[in-house]
Amino acid sequence: MTANNVKARDEFMQAALEEAERSYSEGGIPIGSVLVHRGIIIGRGHNRRVQQGSAILHGEMDALEKAGRQPAAVYKECVMYTTLSPCAMCSGTMLLYGIPQVVIGENRTFMGEEELLRSRGVAVEVLNDEACYDLMQRFIKEKPDLWNEDIGV
């Protein structure tokens, strides 16, 4: 990792990347997320579609599930960190719960619903983190059919 990436990746994106690496090591799709409230991680998750045979356990959905039921006031103060640009399902869920900010590791591999989020007032930041990108590229090279299934190709 270059010095640039060390500086750009804060502790929360690092935690999301660790979740992505965990999914990869489990044979799953390497996307990780953390939900942060007032500087504290309240939910960590990774894509577990393969591991759980789930249709909906993307990294963001897993982080939200593990955060448990929260009052609306908590969600409105949260930041979702995710290693890959969020899909329509995950973006819609963030909108439903009023999460005001999303920090994305990278969006070169997959461009999710960033414009939808922005159009609804969500602050979207893309870090272009090389470690997030490299992990996805390694996975896609190794398991292109699984990646295509996950993104609906």
Side-chain angles (χ1 to χ4, degrees):
M1 181 180 344
T2 66
N4 243 359
N5 283 332
V6 171
K7 184 177 179 184
R9 187 179 318 123
D10 67 17
E11 65 181 294
F12 302 123
M13 185 54 68
Q14 181 61 41
L17 182 57
E18 289 166 5
E19 287 293 322
E21 290 167 342
R22 183 174 171 198
S23 185
Y24 180 81
S25 72
E26 294 170 351
I29 299 152
I31 302 167
S33 300
V34 295
L35 184 64
V36 177
H37 179 250
R38 295 185 178 178
I40 298 170
I41 296 173
I42 63 170
R44 304 173 67 104
H46 54 274
N47 189 304
R48 295 189 304 141
R49 289 185 68 245
V50 173
Q51 299 92 312
Q52 299 293 317
S54 171
I56 62 169
L57 275 180
H58 286 191
E60 299 91 340
M61 301 299 277
D62 193 35
L64 283 162
E65 179 68 19
K66 288 180 177 168
R69 186 173 164 213
Q70 299 293 327
V74 170
Y75 292 120
K76 290 183 186 324
E77 296 178 339
C78 282
V79 179
M80 178 68 77
Y81 286 76
T82 182
T83 57
L84 187 65
S85 187
C87 73
M89 174 181 66
C90 296
S91 295
T93 303
M94 287 184 265
L95 291 172
L96 177 68
Y97 288 109
I99 296 171
Q101 184 177 0
V102 180
V103 180
I104 299 166
E106 66 102 352
N107 62 5
R108 290 183 285 168
T109 301
F110 174 78
M111 175 58 75
E113 298 296 328
E114 294 173 28
E115 289 309 312
L116 171 64
L117 291 167
R118 286 185 183 103
S119 77
R120 298 283 297 273
V122 175
V124 176
E125 179 182 1
V126 180
L127 300 179
N128 293 313
D129 186 287
E130 287 300 317
C132 294
Y133 178 76
D134 291 345
L135 180 58
M136 286 304 304
Q137 295 309 301
R138 183 173 60 202
F139 167 74
I140 291 167
K141 183 177 180 181
E142 292 171 1
K143 298 180 180 180
D145 292 340
L146 185 55
W147 170 242
N148 290 336
E149 172 195 322
D150 194 61
I151 62 169
V153 173

